[in-house]
Amino acid sequence: MSGSYKYKRVVLKLSGEALAGERGFGIDSDIISKVAGEVAHVAKGGVQVAVIIGGGNFLRGATTEGVSAVAGDAMGMLATVINSIAFAERVIACGVDARVLTATRLDRLGEYYTPGRAIDLMKSGVVAVIGGGTGSPFFTTDTAAALRCAELGGEVIMKATKVDGIYDSDPVKNPGAVKFDEITHAYALSKKLKVMDATAFSFCMERDIPIIVFKLLEDGNLAKCLKGQPVGTVVNSGGNA
């Protein structure tokens, strides 16, 4: 089965807000189960998957009132661990082993993340759900995904969003927004496209890590992307824009 997939080791980046669904807070059971099922499906097909999840469905460190930026980011990192635990449980329920790894030591909640340990798990067919961001304040989970992709030898970052790719403007606000099929990291940076933060885009550009931005809640989209089918927007060093 693995021969049908173009990519064999990938990092999937999920936003915490996406897991909250229409509720806007917490975890929507139907959504997290659906996404976990998509991940389990490709893992059964031989794809090695690491998952990085944000924490915005519980809180966003940068906007937490009454605490310092460092403390707020620490709270946000803990929120990502909550999401990681929930997601790993849903993947296991789909018949694929999953393990929570954390960027800071939280021994009763997950194993301490090291690249070697994550790679060993992925090679054995276990989905590595990596929480805690980078383990340091002032960095987003987008940057964490880029960093982990480089550390783990990932071939691509799969950035799951609420829309079906990258547009020249917000398609929700502008019905005439134009969707890109393929762009370069440099173009995304120059146009200040907000689908990932600038640090993550720069990191991926320097290390030639491609990014595929695709719609999260469309059946089979993850598998289609991994097979190289034209889904979403591809960001790489040789894009059309």
Side-chain angles (χ1 to χ4, degrees):
M1 293 179 65
S2 61
S4 63
Y5 291 107
K6 177 180 179 179
Y7 303 103
K8 302 300 188 293
R9 182 179 296 170
V10 303
V11 170
L12 173 64
K13 171 61 173 63
L14 304 173
S15 72
E17 291 95 329
L19 296 183
E22 297 300 322
R23 297 163 51 183
F25 181 84
I27 298 172
D28 184 296
S29 180
D30 291 339
I31 289 177
I32 196 171
S33 294
K34 175 178 173 56
V35 179
E38 299 262 340
V39 170
H41 174 74
V42 299
K44 288 175 182 176
V47 179
Q48 299 175 22
V49 186
V51 181
I52 310 292
I53 310 176
N57 52 325
F58 290 108
L59 60 84
R60 302 186 67 86
T63 59
T64 302
E65 297 182 2
V67 298
S68 68
V70 172
D73 282 353
M75 294 164 65
M77 286 186 275
L78 289 173
T80 72
V81 176
I82 294 172
N83 285 334
S84 297
I85 294 169
F87 193 81
E89 287 292 301
R90 296 306 175 98
V91 172
I92 292 169
C94 294
V96 173
D97 196 8
R99 202 71 51 85
V100 175
L101 304 172
T102 61
T104 54
R105 291 194 181 277
L106 298 166
D107 294 340
R108 294 179 66 89
L109 303 181
E111 296 183 43
Y112 182 60
Y113 166 81
T114 65
R117 179 57 177 154
I119 289 170
D120 286 345
L121 289 169
M122 293 163 69
K123 284 182 175 179
S124 65
V126 178
V127 174
V129 188
I130 306 171
T134 65
S136 299
F138 308 119
F139 295 99
T140 68
T141 47
D142 281 346
T143 299
L147 176 61
R148 301 305 176 222
C149 193
E151 290 177 332
L152 301 175
E155 298 169 84
V156 65
I157 296 174
M158 315 293 298
K159 168 81 173 182
T161 68
K162 294 180 179 180
V163 295
D164 60 346
I166 300 175
Y167 288 75
D168 63 352
S169 58
D170 188 341
V172 176
K173 298 177 181 178
N174 177 17
V178 177
K179 177 176 173 287
F180 299 107
D181 293 326
E182 187 176 7
I183 60 174
T184 63
H185 303 95
Y187 183 85
L189 281 167
S190 68
K191 296 300 182 181
K192 298 182 180 179
L193 300 178
K194 300 297 184 182
V195 69
M196 290 186 84
D197 69 68
T199 303
F201 269 133
S202 296
F203 188 97
C204 291
M205 181 171 64
E206 291 171 5
R207 288 156 185 81
D208 199 20
I209 298 172
I211 306 161
I212 300 177
V213 180
F214 69 103
K215 191 171 184 178
L216 175 65
L217 296 176
E218 190 162 311
D219 289 342
N221 258 6
L222 178 60
K224 291 175 184 176
C225 288
L226 293 174
K227 290 177 179 178
Q229 296 179 14
V231 175
T233 301
V234 178
V235 184
N236 56 31
S237 58
N240 297 324

